[in-house]
Amino acid sequence: MGHGGGGAMSGELIEHLFLPAYGAAAASDLGDSAVLTVGSGTRLAFSTDSFVVKPMFFPGGSIGDLAVNGTVNDLAMSGATPMFLSTAFILAEGTALNDLGRIAQAVGRAAENAGVRLVTGDTKVVERSSGDGVYINTSGIGVVPSGVDIHARRARPGDAVLVSGDIGVHGVAVMSCREGLEFGTTVESDTAPLHGLVADMIATGADVHVLRDPTRGGVAASLNEIARASDVGIELVERSLPVPPTVRDACSLLGLDPLQVANEGKLIAIVPAEDADRVLAAMRAHPLARDACRIGSCVPDHAGMVVARTGLGGSRVIGLPIGEQLPRIC
Amino acid sequence: MKYLDEFSDPDLAKKLLDQIHAATTRKWAMMEVCGGQTHSIIRHGIDQLLPGGVEMIHGPGCPVCVTPLEIIDRALAIAARPGVIFCSFGDMLRVPGSSQDLFSVRSAGGDVRVVYSPLDALKLARENPDREVVFFGIGFETTAPANAMTVYQAKRLGVRNFSLLVSHVLVPPAIAAIMESPTCRVQAFLAAGHVCSVMGTAEYPPLARKYKVPIVVTGFEPLDILEGVRRTVLQLEAGRHEVENAYPRAVRDEGNAPAMEMLADVFEVTDRTWRGIGAIPRSGWRLSARYREFDTEERFDVTDIHTAESSLCRSGEVLQGLIKPHACEAFGRECTPRNPLGATMVSSEGACAAYYTHRRLELVDAK
């Protein structure tokens, strides 16, 4: 299970198994979406993702919303305007049609909300023993505007690290409705399409270096990927991290780090320090990023590593989660 | 929980730190007993802010770390059996036995489930009367009352397909064992607040007197730990060795009477082996005769266990405060959270994992 958690084990599987097996056919770039030049220079972003979340319905959304918004956001993180999506369903025998109907409606609503067309798809049914519920794969194509060059390799020392709002909300929302785990306050998933926000950020004229949506593995995994890809250090100021009290308390109870908890409607941006204020202003003007803030900087020290200044003035390394986060015993 | 911010206030922390710095005139070595405290100290960088004269030695108080290899191997063998639903808290799943862990058993088809409460395991037993449901009951005095309550409920409800694999350990005998060690460097203890919230403080004055060590009951938030250190330093500097409660919002001297009654009914004291440390007399609990029918070890005949500890791992010395994690030659090389040799590296509250996770930067610089 850990190999699908978006942390260190997922990376090892790609590095040690998939890439060697794919050989020369593999692309060298391992972003959430590939940017492909076609014809006379049109750049297309292409991405695919599979959704296996349990439970299928949770406060603030469902696997259907995630399947659309997840791929839309992977495209948006290269600056693309998402255009077309495919949807492939794998259903376990015995799945209630009523549930499937609700999920399909959620897919339709989310696509309409994101302004993307659902242009092709597939359905398979597997024996009950081979699966559990509904799995959805979505692939998407978008168009990258000319002049936009957003890539995990482009972070530079001195750059500002921004986040679009509260972190850890989606992960806690999903955990909160798993059996036996209820919190006093309902936390709703933040699932949302982010390409409109990205377009507003790009429209400021700022040279946005890196964008990432910190899904599985959370902010910690995304920042570690950026630090390694760009060979810069990243320094966070722990007190500036926007962690809502409900998320912080749930994480405290379970022994989890909010930085490693999944998000579905947030983004991290790395921009030149001189552009940070106007990008932040554009973000705060957008309904999905009213609480955007600066959480740290890229630094020349400790290249490839993420370090947080603690609230008391100490420091700690923020590592990649290994696999799935595990609630502690006490 | 909404008040937690008050216990990490940087201005108050600075005042406490100033007082600790002003009071410290020489070197002192104190042990925080609980892994939760270790994690908090490293996570907040508290040890970096203390005066050089105050050394924090990380104690054995991580229940995952000290669960003996033989019990883990036994758990793995039982979890692999058909017809068994094996339930555990999440952080036990990655703890290595002699050759594999509970994740591996699950990957191979074993029905291993993460639960958030032992009562969830009892619920599973009632929902699956044709299966044997086992709950892995590990931990200190903190987790024991809930496990005791679950067994009590199972008996009351007549649930016959539920059992508890018990590996409960007790803090006061471990403190005595550490002080009896000829290589002991510990001069004071920050006692684990959560343990005392259940058991009270009555067990500590005899230890403080016998070994002439201050024992300060301490919580887990940054200010709790700083206050515990401050009081401990004041005692050490004054040559006192008393028991103080620096965690009064959670700990009453008399403890939690209903919880202790439940523990006394369901459990009885027994000798226990601590992983990395060895056997400590009367340092654990097992089910009392009245509840023995719910003992997994009685129900499942597991005899073919061959335990094999890593010869490289020095987690026992880490657990006793004899070495710091990075003094182990395997630290960060053969032994990482991804491929742990010992449980102090695999448990998120183990001292080795805390150093590897949060202190890698300075350790890399030091090597």
Side-chain angles (χ1 to χ4, degrees), chain A residues 5 42 63 82 87 110 130 163 171 205 225 309 328:
Chain A
T42 300
I63 191 171
T87 57
S130 308
V163 65
E225 286 167 18
R309 292 280 151 217
R328 70 180 173 198

Side-chain angles (χ1 to χ4, degrees), chain A residues 1 9 12 179 239 248-249 252 257 302 305 307 310-312 314-317 322 324 326-330, chain B residues 1 5 8 10 13 43-44 48-49 63 89-91 94 106 116 123 138 222 337-338 349 357-358 361:
Chain A
M1 289 297 288
M9 290 174 72
E12 286 169 17
E179 188 177 12
R239 288 230 153 230
R248 189 189 49 202
D249 294 349
S252 178
D257 187 341
H302 53 79
M305 293 178 89
V307 173
T310 71
L312 301 188
S315 67
R316 66 178 174 115
V317 173
I322 298 172
E324 294 287 304
L326 298 172
R328 70 180 173 198
I329 176 172
C330 66
Chain B
M1 296 295 286
D5 269 354
S8 55
R43 181 188 169 90
H44 295 283
Q48 300 166 331
L49 304 170
F89 292 129
D91 50 1
R94 218 180 267 140
R106 190 164 81 178
Y116 298 94
K123 187 170 166 223
I138 73 158
R338 176 73 184 86
E349 293 188 356
T357 305
H358 297 308
L361 184 59

Side-chain angles (χ1 to χ4, degrees), chain B residues 5-282:
Chain B
D5 269 354
E6 296 172 25
F7 298 100
S8 55
D9 181 293
D11 295 330
L12 290 174
K14 182 163 185 326
K15 283 181 187 160
L16 286 170
L17 278 164
D18 287 346
Q19 291 174 35
I20 294 168
H21 277 264
T24 307
T25 64
R26 47 170 290 196
K27 285 191 178 300
W28 300 111
M30 64 183 74
M31 173 178 275
E32 82 277 1
V33 170
C34 175
Q37 293 168 331
T38 303
H39 187 74
S40 191
I41 287 167
I42 303 297
R43 181 188 169 90
H44 295 283
I46 289 171
D47 54 333
Q48 300 166 331
L49 304 170
L50 290 173
V54 176
E55 181 189 359
M56 302 306 299
I57 296 178
H58 313 307
C62 164
V64 173
C65 302
V66 299
T67 300
L69 192 59
E70 188 188 345
I71 295 271
I72 294 169
D73 284 341
R74 201 173 293 268
L76 295 168
I78 292 166
R81 292 191 181 188
V84 167
I85 300 175
F86 192 93
C87 302
S88 169
F89 292 129
D91 50 1
M92 279 306 292
L93 265 65
R94 218 180 267 140
V95 178
S98 293
S99 61
Q100 58 176 346
D101 58 21
L102 284 166
F103 269 130
S104 320
V105 171
R106 190 164 81 178
S107 297
D111 193 346
V112 176
R113 304 192 191 183
V114 172
V115 294
Y116 298 94
S117 154
L119 289 166
D120 292 343
L122 182 59
K123 187 170 166 223
L124 273 173
R126 300 183 75 187
E127 291 168 355
N128 296 274
D130 55 333
R131 310 274 299 275
E132 277 288 336
V133 175
V134 177
F135 180 71
F136 201 173
I138 73 158
F140 287 87
E141 293 91 331
T142 326
T143 50
N147 294 349
M149 169 62 86
T150 306
V151 173
Y152 172 84
Q153 286 279 23
K155 187 177 176 87
R156 194 177 67 85
L157 297 168
V159 181
R160 299 282 167 221
N161 62 325
F162 173 82
S163 66
L164 190 68
L165 180 58
V166 191
S167 186
H168 278 297
V169 281
L170 306 173
V171 163
I175 288 180
I178 287 164
M179 292 310 298
E180 296 282 353
S181 165
T183 49
C184 175
R185 297 193 299 123
V186 179
Q187 295 166 293
F189 288 94
L190 303 185
H194 290 176
V195 169
C196 296
S197 68
V198 175
M199 303 301 292
T201 58
E203 295 172 288
Y204 294 101
L207 292 169
R209 278 194 299 273
K210 181 175 180 183
Y211 299 109
K212 295 186 168 44
V213 287
I215 301 177
V216 178
V217 178
T218 303
F220 300 82
E221 297 304 317
L223 291 191
D224 292 323
I225 289 166
L226 289 173
E227 174 63 6
V229 172
R230 186 187 73 86
R231 291 201 195 192
T232 306
V233 167
L234 289 177
Q235 282 206 45
L236 286 166
E237 292 281 346
R240 291 185 289 123
H241 44 84
E242 295 159 12
V243 176
E244 285 185 62
N245 180 4
Y247 195 33
R249 72 178 186 278
V251 174
R252 288 174 298 159
D253 287 345
E254 66 274 23
N256 182 330
M260 287 197 283
E261 281 168 23
M262 179 64 67
L263 290 168
D265 179 34
V266 174
F267 291 129
E268 63 189 22
V269 173
T270 186
D271 298 345
R272 276 276 171 215
T273 299
W274 295 50
R275 188 172 192 176
I277 295 179
I280 302 178
R282 300 183 62 73

